[in-house]
Structures are given as structure tokens and as C-alpha cells.
Amino acid sequence: MSAALQGALGAAGPGPAPTPTLVLGPARSGRSALLFRAALGGPRALFLAPRALQRLPGARRGESDPRGLQRIQFLYPPSLRELLRLLASLHQSLPGPPALLLLDGLEQYLAGCPGPQAAARLAALLVDTASYFTGRLGADPQGSAPCCQLIASMRVSGETEVEDHLCILQRYFPAQCWLCLDSAAALGQEDCGGDRMFRARLSQPGAADQEWRLGFGLDGEMSVSPVLWGRAEDPGAASDTDRAAGAEK
């Protein structure tokens, strides 16, 4: 995956605490694939979702990385109430602190929020949980404290009341990665059985926005390439290809 996008979505290494990141996009835009790819590429991760994954996004049929999967713990709280209860008890139930806290399908939990205060409480609890894990991770050999990065995904369609909470979420998730259909690149490809094409635009405090083109093939392969716009391309954002599924909830 392109270096800058991986830095925002992958587990953090030594250094200052990363910014909590919100991955936003329509259905089947690769949100789950990006989160799962971040989990596979980093150290210990905790992956939360409302229901069990039908398949592992980020792996072709019959393919997986056993060592990567061993570093991921999957938990599936089915409702907002169960999620809040789980977050409040993770400090007692986990064998060790994760370096990456992932929440897929945030919009489904927000649907159970009776109002803005409940949405803010959920977001604050997620941030506090990641901060708690950061405190437990301890110091690395170089003397810098590793930290637990928080990444959540949310489906946006412009038609749900859940999106009314977006302005609240942005206070707790200063970095956002927006996924949108790249209609120009995908023109005529669907009729020929080609890739589904999306744009990923990363906005984070203190850095210029960056953009990538994501292509999801029928075989489950995700291709990533930088999009040049405005200024020179970030030299760390080299084009590459990752194994990630196009299958998305």
C-alpha cells in the first residue's frame, strides 16, 4: 500500500501518537478491505464489527497469512449497548494491549444512538480506549513509547440520519480518508467485467491532502496508485499493488 496511506491506516511505530482516523465511503468502496489490510500489515490488532465477516477482506479465496491472522483478535458486539459494555471491560478481558484498534461499520452502532450526546460518548470512549492501550504498551528499546492507533470505518450515502453525527465524529477523528467512486476511470470497465475504481483522499492535520486511485478486481486484488493533483507527489507514495478484497459489506 502507498506509504502515506499505510501510515495513516496501519499500526503506529515509535514516535508521537497518530491521529485517530475515520474511513468514509459508500457501500462496496473497500472500507473493510482497507481496515483489514492495516491489521494484517501491523503488530497486534483488535478488530471490532457488528457481525462476523463473511470472508476475510484482504485475502483471495483460499489464501491468507497465518502469521498475520494470529496477530488479529476479532470481536463482534452486535449492538451499541454491547459495544459500550465491551469497550468498558477491554482492560480486563484482553491478554495484552493492541497497537491497533479497528472498528468496522461504525454507522450501524450510530443508528442506535438516541441523539448527538450518545454519539459523542461513543466516540470519546473509543478515543479513551486507544489512549489506555497506549499507556499499557510501554517503552520501546529506543526509549519512545509505541501507541495504539484508532481507525474506524463508516458508510456514507447521503440518505441516512447517521450522517448527522459526522460533524461530532470529526472532533474526535481529526483525520479522514474519503472513498468515492472514480467514475471517469471506471467508465466502460464494468460492462467488460473490469475493476471497480475508487478515489481515496486522505486529509489529516498538519499535512497536505493526498489522493490515491484504488482498483478492486474480480479476483480480490486491490491496486493502489497515487493521483497527481496540485503539487508534486509525495515521494513516499509510490505506486504498488496489495492483496485486498473488493468484497465489502
Side-chain angles (χ1 to χ4, degrees), residues 4-246:
L5 188 57
Q6 186 177 28
L9 298 183
T19 303
T21 304
L22 193 60
V23 179
L24 303 131
R28 295 180 56 81
S29 59
R31 302 182 317 277
S32 296
L34 284 175
L35 263 64
F36 188 72
R37 177 64 180 87
L40 282 178
R44 186 188 187 98
L46 176 61
F47 194 106
L48 307 177
R51 61 183 61 87
L53 301 173
Q54 297 298 318
R55 55 169 294 186
L56 295 179
R60 289 184 176 182
R61 187 180 300 276
E63 292 184 350
S64 62
D65 178 2
R67 291 175 298 179
L69 291 175
Q70 289 175 359
R71 296 192 297 267
I72 307 173
Q73 181 173 359
F74 296 92
L75 295 175
Y76 303 107
S79 65
L80 173 64
R81 180 178 180 181
E82 291 301 318
L83 175 61
L84 294 174
R85 181 180 301 174
L86 174 66
L87 291 173
S89 64
L90 282 178
H91 65 287
Q92 297 177 331
S93 58
L94 289 183
L100 186 58
L101 176 58
L102 301 162
L103 176 64
D104 196 23
L106 176 58
E107 75 283 349
Q108 298 184 52
Y109 295 114
L110 290 175
C113 291
Q117 290 184 343
R121 179 191 174 198
L122 172 57
L125 186 55
L126 287 168
V127 172
D128 288 346
T129 301
S131 297
Y132 170 78
F133 288 144
T134 293
R136 287 195 54 196
L137 283 171
D140 67 13
Q142 285 72 38
S144 298
C147 51
C148 176
Q149 183 171 3
L150 170 63
I151 308 173
S153 78
M154 175 176 164
R155 184 177 66 186
V156 291
S157 63
E159 300 176 354
T160 65
E161 295 181 359
V162 170
E163 293 174 40
D164 294 339
H165 300 312
L166 186 56
C167 61
I168 297 174
L169 295 175
Q170 289 173 334
R171 302 174 192 169
Y172 297 90
F173 293 84
Q176 290 104 43
C177 182
W178 287 87
L179 304 173
C180 62
L181 183 66
D182 191 343
S183 56
L187 185 62
Q189 290 193 15
E190 292 188 1
D191 294 338
C192 301
D195 293 356
R196 292 183 291 114
M197 304 298 296
F198 289 87
R199 293 277 186 111
R201 184 165 183 170
L202 177 64
S203 300
Q204 51 188 337
D209 288 2
Q210 293 177 300
E211 194 167 340
W212 295 265
R213 178 173 288 117
L214 310 181
F216 295 91
L218 297 178
D219 60 355
E221 184 177 66
M222 181 176 72
S223 61
V224 183
S225 59
V227 174
L228 302 178
W229 52 279
R231 61 185 65 189
E233 175 190 347
D234 178 3
S239 174
D240 64 350
T241 300
D242 289 312
R243 303 293 185 186

